[in-house]
Structure formats: structure tokens, C-alpha cells
Amino acid sequence: MINKVKILTRMKRFSFYVLLFPFLCLPLLSLSQLSYELSSDREQPINLEADHADIDDMQGISIYTGNVILTQGSTEIKCHKLTLYTDEERQLKKAIAAGKDKLATYKQRPDGKEQDFKARAETIIYYLTTEKIHLLKQATVWQGGDRFSGDTIVYDTAKDSVVATSKKDKEGKAVGDRIRVTIQPRKQN
């Protein structure tokens, strides 16, 4: 039986790319929809640091490697490699954040919340056209004491739903760690 759980609820800074980068990355920061970002985040400048950048406008692919840190307001993405894919109109269609020695991480402070929303996985893929975020291998999302983990987590931002699955063998049977969910009791008013 497949275990599934569904829950609703550094390269130096490059000044030559500062003007183009926000245009390419603004949709990436729709990741903030994952946690209802601070309303002021989208008004903040985007800052990107990496050890290396390889930008191919003709192919619509930008690759940043080595201690990559992207910030905008309260949003922060850290990974070893960040790959951005754009369409013919230079609109971002997919973003992939991958870890190497450490997991890729995402952090955001939601409006009206005292705790950051956080996610981590070996690979984080955001598909803008389908509005889905895939957290692959060693995936965990949490806010405060609430935690959700599994081998794969798919978050549908349009439907505000999360589906997690455990690792499966060739026959489709769950192997290794199972899905783990911790939900803290809510305070009564």
C-alpha cells in the first residue's frame, strides 16, 4: 500500500545582472505563495550571491553554483546549484534548487505569523505553469512545531494542498522511512 497523506491547510554580487535578474526571478518568488508571504516581500529588491554564474539568454537557462543564496524581503533560498529556465518571452517557467553536501532550503515569514515557514530537500523544483513545488528526497516542511516529512512532497499552490509519499521499491511497496506528520494543538481563545 502506498503511504500518502494529504493536508489542506556567493561569485560576488554581479552588478551587470542586477537589472535582468529580477525580471527573470520575480515569478520564482511566487514560491512565497507557499506560505502567504509578507505583503512587503515583493516590493523588496532581489539579491543573489553565488561562486559562479552561467547565463545563456539564447537557451533561456541561467545556472548559479556554489553556495547560492537568493533573498527578497523575508524570503531566502539556499542551495549549491540554482537553475532557472525561461520561455521565449523571458518569463520564468521552472526553477530548480539543488543541494550537494547540504540540503537545499527555503524560508519565508508569512504575514501575521511569528514563525517562519521552512522547507528543505535534496532538490526543490518549482513549476510555474502548474503552480506546483516538488521537494525530492529527504523532504521536510515545517512551521513552528508543525512538521511534515517524506521522501517526496508535492505542494500545489493553486489548491493549497500537500501530498507526501514514502520511497518505494520496484514493486511499488513502501521502503525505508514512512511519512511523518506532527501537528501541534492549537491554543484555545
Side-chain angles (χ1 to χ4, degrees):
M1 179 173 173
I2 298 172
N3 290 321
K4 287 190 176 182
V5 176
K6 187 172 182 180
I7 295 181
L8 298 173
T9 59
R10 176 188 335 230
M11 201 167 149
K12 303 168 187 163
R13 291 181 195 238
F14 0 36
S15 57
F16 70 92
Y17 200 57
V18 168
L19 295 175
L20 183 59
F21 187 76
F23 176 75
L24 293 173
C25 272
L26 190 56
L28 170 65
L29 295 172
S30 291
L31 281 170
S32 61
Q33 292 174 1
L34 183 63
S35 58
Y36 306 102
E37 84 268 354
L38 285 174
S39 54
S40 63
D41 278 356
R42 290 182 185 232
E43 299 168 9
Q44 302 299 315
I46 294 170
N47 297 295
L48 180 89
E49 298 178 30
D51 294 332
H52 180 79
D54 184 0
I55 301 162
D56 186 339
D57 282 337
M58 295 295 288
Q59 295 294 319
I61 301 172
S62 300
I63 302 170
Y64 305 90
T65 56
N67 196 24
V68 180
I69 303 170
L70 182 146
T71 59
Q72 183 184 36
S74 72
T75 302
E76 179 180 82
I77 298 169
K78 292 183 177 182
C79 57
H80 171 72
K81 181 178 180 180
L82 177 64
T83 307
L84 306 175
Y85 297 88
T86 58
D87 61 19
E88 302 79 33
E89 286 133 24
R90 299 175 118 173
Q91 294 297 310
L92 188 65
K93 61 182 181 180
K94 180 170 68 172
I96 302 174
K100 186 176 180 182
D101 299 326
K102 297 189 280 187
L103 299 176
T105 64
Y106 170 85
K107 179 177 74 168
Q108 175 81 61
R109 175 64 57 95
D111 269 337
K113 301 285 184 180
E114 294 180 13
Q115 301 285 330
D116 289 337
F117 175 88
K118 299 177 183 179
R120 68 178 175 215
E122 286 184 24
T123 304
I124 300 171
I125 307 173
Y126 182 46
Y127 298 94
L128 281 82
T129 55
T130 60
E131 299 183 47
K132 290 184 180 180
I133 299 169
H134 294 229
L135 301 148
L136 309 174
K137 297 184 181 176
Q138 301 182 55
T140 304
V141 296
W142 70 97
Q143 187 169 20
D146 296 344
R147 181 177 294 264
F148 191 112
S149 63
D151 185 61
T152 301
I153 297 173
V154 177
Y155 179 77
D156 187 325
T157 63
K159 295 179 181 177
D160 195 26
S161 65
V162 178
V163 175
T165 58
S166 59
K167 189 174 183 177
K168 299 175 202 88
D169 65 13
K170 292 180 182 180
E171 289 83 40
K173 295 180 181 180
V175 295
D177 288 339
R178 298 176 53 168
I179 307 260
R180 305 222 183 265
V181 178
T182 302
I183 302 172
Q184 299 297 322
R186 301 296 173 224
K187 295 179 181 177
Q188 300 288 332
N189 290 341

